[in-house]
Amino acid sequence: MGKVISGKIFVLDDNIDTDQIIPAEYLTLVPSKPDEYEKLGSYAMIGLPDRYGKFMEVGEIKTQYPIIIAGENFGCGSSREHAPIALGAAGVKAVVALSYARIFFRNCSATGELYPIESVDRLCDLFVTGQEVTIDFAGDRIINHTQNLTYSLKPLGDVGPVIDAGGLFAYARQTGMIAARS
């Protein structure tokens, strides 16, 4: 993977749950409908406490933060696929966290919406919202351009090609595991 993702970061800490990512009241939106997918993204992170600041500006449908930095147990709580879908619809490309709830990590690969990358260091204590970074997949590193420092990331492993393909079904079609759509 020679892939890179660059942009501003939004920094969170530990135990960000799926109710904070997308509250249950918005789960009636159907992500397969383009207008509802877009609307779902506009509600991403609406359940966060005020201390984090605004993830989405009022009236916007895309965030200015394509990368989220978090602590431990990101995506804990309810096992809703809407959580990574809402983040992807909002324009998030990757979450870099110390650890993930297994179901959130699994839903990232199932949907192909975003890359759940594990950090080696506790970056949420070292980074600040708004800093500019680049994630270098080939080098398993994140470069904080604001600090002019580089930090190691854990390799994405087998989940990388699945997300690259656009999710489990797209990957299965691409690799011949299931028949391509006619």
Side-chain angles (χ1 to χ4, degrees):
M1 290 173 82
K3 185 177 194 74
V4 297
I5 299 172
S6 296
K8 289 183 179 181
I9 56 171
F10 192 80
V11 180
L12 303 165
D13 52 24
D14 300 327
N15 302 311
I16 301 301
D17 66 47
T18 54
D19 288 318
Q20 293 170 318
I21 297 169
I22 187 71
E25 65 197 83
Y26 303 108
L27 300 182
T28 58
L29 294 169
V30 180
S32 61
K33 295 180 179 179
D35 60 324
E36 292 191 24
Y37 175 83
E38 196 171 86
K39 194 173 221 175
L40 186 64
S42 73
Y43 295 123
M45 297 298 205
I46 200 167
L48 286 175
D50 292 340
R51 66 186 164 98
Y52 292 111
K54 288 190 186 260
F55 176 73
M56 188 77 69
E57 293 299 320
V58 176
E60 294 294 321
I61 58 171
K62 296 287 183 191
T63 185
Q64 62 178 316
Y65 307 106
I67 301 166
I68 294 173
I69 305 294
E72 294 183 64
N73 202 27
F74 187 86
C76 58
S78 302
S79 61
R80 54 182 70 145
E81 283 185 340
H82 281 69
I85 293 171
L87 292 175
V92 175
K93 304 291 181 212
V95 176
V96 178
L98 202 53
S99 66
Y100 292 88
R102 285 185 60 82
I103 191 66
F104 181 86
F105 191 93
R106 170 75 165 80
N107 284 337
C108 286
S109 66
T111 63
E113 286 288 336
L114 54 94
Y115 294 93
I117 305 165
E118 290 183 300
S119 60
V120 174
D121 300 302
R122 189 172 166 79
L123 300 180
C124 64
D125 293 339
L126 305 173
F127 289 15
V128 176
T129 294
Q131 291 178 326
E132 293 279 341
V133 305
T134 296
I135 297 171
D136 171 12
F137 286 75
D140 294 321
R141 62 189 182 150
I142 185 168
I143 303 152
N144 186 318
H145 300 290
T146 307
Q147 297 175 336
N148 199 26
L149 292 172
T150 300
Y151 300 88
S152 295
L153 300 173
K154 294 181 182 177
L156 206 50
D158 292 339
V159 76
V162 176
I163 296 170
D164 288 341
L168 284 176
F169 285 106
Y171 179 77
R173 285 184 194 95
Q174 188 180 77
T175 58
M177 291 180 201
I178 59 175
R181 289 184 172 170
S182 49

